[in-house]
Amino acid sequence: MAPRVSDLIAYPGLRLTVHATAHRLDAPIRWVATSEHLDPTPFLDGGELLLTTGMLIPADEAQAQAYADRLARAGVVALGLGVGLVHDVMPSSLIRAAERAGLLLLEVPQAIPFIAVTKAMSDLVAKEQYAETVRISQMQRELVRAAARDGPAGVVRSTARLSGGWVLLLDRDLVVQQAHPQRASERAAELREELARLGRGGPAASSIVERDESISINTLATVNRTHAYLAVGLPRRPDGVDRALLSMSTSILSVALARPAGSSQRADEYRRTAALIRVVRALATVDQDLLTDLGGPLFGHPEIVVAVVTGGRRDLDGLCLALKDQLFDDCLVTRVDQQVTAIVAGGVASAAKEQIARFQSLRAGVSLPATPSALAQALDDAERSCTRAVTLDIPVVTPSGGTASVFSIADPGQAVAFAERLLAPLTDYEQRTGNDLVESLDAWLRHHGRFEPAAAELGLHRHTLADRVKRAEKLIGNLLDDVDARMGLWFALRTRGTYRPASSGRGPGHGELVRPSAWPPEAQSTR
């Protein structure tokens, strides 16, 4: 919610005075603008406090009225006139015009620079945003506790109380399951047409605005199956907090409703874990307490690891069973079509990788260890790594470190194609002559383009190495004194796996030549 005029007036040190329409002090202000134009409306967006010294404000009553009316029509909330420069006191004609236009009129003392008003507004906006974040976090905790204590009924009651509106929960057949307050069930009839439209494969959500009421309808689904609808009516247009509340309620109800009658224990866990992942992706921040409430003791561990696995259906089924048999409560698993997502405790990540490696058809991406609150990032990392594993036919891909590199964002197929294209002339030259220029370029690049240490490592004279670099330049068509050309060559060598830093004790800046190796350079295989 934006700060109000009354908040700005009460801000310490500003000493603003109200001259017109004092009854509108509760009006929200979006920002502060400054203009001396007689018609500044083309430069405004609505919701502003407009500051001016009044340099061009006419003294004529009719023209002053036209000025105030223009601002009011443009959505300006308040006009702040700085006295002491052009006007010693607030013009009475402007006061009357602002009152008739319904425009708040504020006097800014000469000793208060306009920038002080802008800074005060910035401070109020920051405080409002922080308060909004705290409120959303408190709502999140209350909804989770309500779900744990009273199930869907508790979530519906809490959502209605927190929003100040009414809430309906309907099943797939549009039968009301929960309503709060109870009389809200009477609204179901008027929503049936819109609910039926969503149920026929329409959008996942819908919004209806009527007079002073706004109604939001969301589908509740897990594993791509809609099984209920949530309708929330508010006596106002929803703001950021309202939208966050609706998102949280929808996600948490999806978890609370994830146990259909007669389902198997394994299918039930799949649905719950899939719903948990939806909650994590829907919420801006997720703390460890919330994860423990939703996901159980697994999230009591200091670190978790995510594996995303794809492959043959039979092997995926076998992997799910193996993970649960071996890891018990240290593992959550969900299966959607031909993809398995497993969340495991950090201490058993190696065991999980061993189970994945047992199945020949599977390709997996495994995240780095992360705190439970970083689960969303771990899910993203594992999914990207799984894509690379499939593209390059590597059993398991794991990022090499906690810091991002160009290889973590590059498309593997395009990167490999680029490397093969750039290095093809060097490969052809080696096949024709038996002379390997790649090794020389590798050493030269690792020594930052310095010939003496690179030649010493290779056991060559520096002039011999210089000749080889020049020959390579002619073959690839790039002058390697250009930083972009060097970067491209380095990227190609790393992508093709021609060079990989040595783990031996040969000293910093040295490496070993390896052929072949798979993309990405940091990829690790468990086989």
Side-chain angles (χ1 to χ4, degrees), residues 416-497:
V416 170
F418 167 79
E420 294 299 332
R421 184 170 60 252
L422 181 62
L423 299 178
L426 304 180
T427 303
D428 293 342
Y429 180 81
E430 181 181 358
Q431 291 174 348
R432 292 196 316 270
T433 66
N435 294 323
D436 184 1
L437 299 180
V438 172
E439 181 179 13
S440 298
L441 287 174
D442 164 64
W444 182 70
L445 285 175
R446 283 189 286 103
H447 287 283
H448 310 291
R450 292 180 297 155
F451 288 100
E452 289 83 356
E457 178 185 322
L458 295 169
L460 301 173
H461 192 279
R462 63 181 302 275
H463 293 307
T464 302
L465 178 59
D467 288 340
R468 291 185 177 184
V469 171
K470 288 179 180 178
R471 185 176 296 278
E473 286 180 324
K474 292 180 180 180
L475 290 170
I476 64 178
N478 280 326
L479 294 176
L480 295 177
D481 57 356
D482 178 74
V483 66
D484 290 335
R486 289 193 192 187
M487 177 60 186
L489 180 59
W490 170 84
F491 182 85
L493 292 174
R494 288 293 308 275
T495 296
R496 201 178 72 169

Side-chain angles (χ1 to χ4, degrees), residues 15 44 67 87 128 136 210 309 371 506:
R15 306 198 308 275
L44 301 176
Y67 175 74
H87 301 275
E128 285 287 343
I136 291 172
E210 296 179 344
V309 190
T371 60
R506 296 171 59 187

Side-chain angles (χ1 to χ4, degrees), residues 70-392:
R70 277 195 298 273
L71 298 185
R73 285 195 299 270
V76 172
V77 174
L79 175 66
L81 180 69
V83 297
L85 294 176
V86 179
H87 301 275
D88 293 330
V89 295
M90 184 71 70
S92 58
S93 59
L94 185 59
I95 295 174
R96 290 190 293 272
E99 193 70 52
R100 286 191 290 266
L103 183 69
L104 267 162
L105 185 59
L106 307 178
E107 178 181 318
V108 183
Q110 183 178 7
I112 304 300
F114 285 174
I115 189 64
V117 181
T118 302
K119 287 181 177 179
M121 184 64 187
S122 179
D123 185 39
L124 289 172
V125 169
K127 289 179 179 177
E128 285 287 343
Q129 290 175 340
Y130 176 74
E132 187 174 291
T133 300
V134 171
R135 186 180 174 203
I136 291 172
S137 178
Q138 291 171 341
M139 286 179 170
Q140 177 180 296
R141 290 178 179 276
E142 180 169 337
L143 289 172
V144 170
R145 292 190 177 107
R149 184 177 59 250
D150 299 320
V155 177
V156 168
R157 285 196 301 271
S158 291
T159 302
R161 187 185 65 77
L162 292 169
S163 68
W166 55 265
V167 180
L168 278 178
L169 179 64
L170 306 97
D171 64 16
R172 293 187 67 197
D173 298 322
L174 309 186
V175 176
V176 175
Q177 300 298 306
Q178 300 290 338
H180 195 85
Q182 192 58 44
R183 64 178 180 277
S185 59
E186 301 170 3
R187 306 297 300 268
E190 66 188 79
L191 300 177
R192 287 190 181 278
E193 183 176 343
E194 186 66 15
L195 290 165
R197 185 175 74 90
L198 298 180
R200 288 193 297 268
S206 176
S207 181
I208 304 170
V209 179
E210 296 179 344
R211 299 181 299 278
D212 296 329
E213 184 178 55
S214 174
I215 302 173
S216 298
I217 305 173
N218 276 50
T219 57
L220 306 179
T222 54
V223 196
N224 300 323
R225 180 178 182 269
T226 298
H227 52 76
Y229 302 90
L230 177 69
V232 179
L234 302 176
R236 61 186 178 277
R237 289 185 178 273
D239 58 18
V241 173
D242 294 324
R243 288 188 287 271
L245 173 62
L246 181 60
S247 176
M248 291 186 291
S249 299
T250 300
S251 299
I252 292 171
L253 276 170
S254 294
V255 177
L257 295 171
R259 185 187 294 274
S263 66
S264 69
Q265 184 175 359
R266 184 173 63 176
D268 176 62
E269 180 181 343
Y270 289 175
R271 292 188 180 93
R272 287 185 175 273
T273 304
L276 169 66
I277 292 172
R278 289 188 64 226
V279 169
V280 169
R281 294 200 183 282
L283 302 180
T285 58
V286 183
D287 61 35
Q288 190 158 336
D289 290 341
L290 171 63
L291 287 170
T292 302
D293 287 340
L294 294 177
L298 168 63
F299 294 104
H301 291 273
E303 289 186 329
I304 52 93
V305 169
V306 176
V308 175
V309 190
T310 188
R313 291 182 178 276
R314 181 175 297 179
D315 281 356
L316 288 175
D317 286 338
L319 174 65
C320 291
L321 292 174
L323 289 175
K324 293 307 295 181
D325 287 345
Q326 293 291 323
L327 306 181
F328 302 103
D329 291 337
D330 287 339
C331 177
L332 289 177
V333 178
T334 187
R335 162 87 180 274
V336 179
D337 298 328
Q338 288 185 261
Q339 179 172 299
V340 166
T341 301
I343 308 169
V344 305
V348 297
S350 296
K353 290 182 182 180
E354 290 175 2
Q355 292 299 327
I356 295 170
R358 290 177 48 222
F359 299 92
Q360 297 294 320
S361 77
L362 301 186
R363 298 294 177 263
V366 180
S367 74
L368 294 168
T371 60
S373 59
L375 175 57
Q377 181 62 51
L379 287 163
D380 290 343
D381 290 345
E383 287 178 354
R384 284 193 294 268
S385 295
C386 183
T387 299
R388 292 199 290 270
V390 172
T391 302
L392 301 162

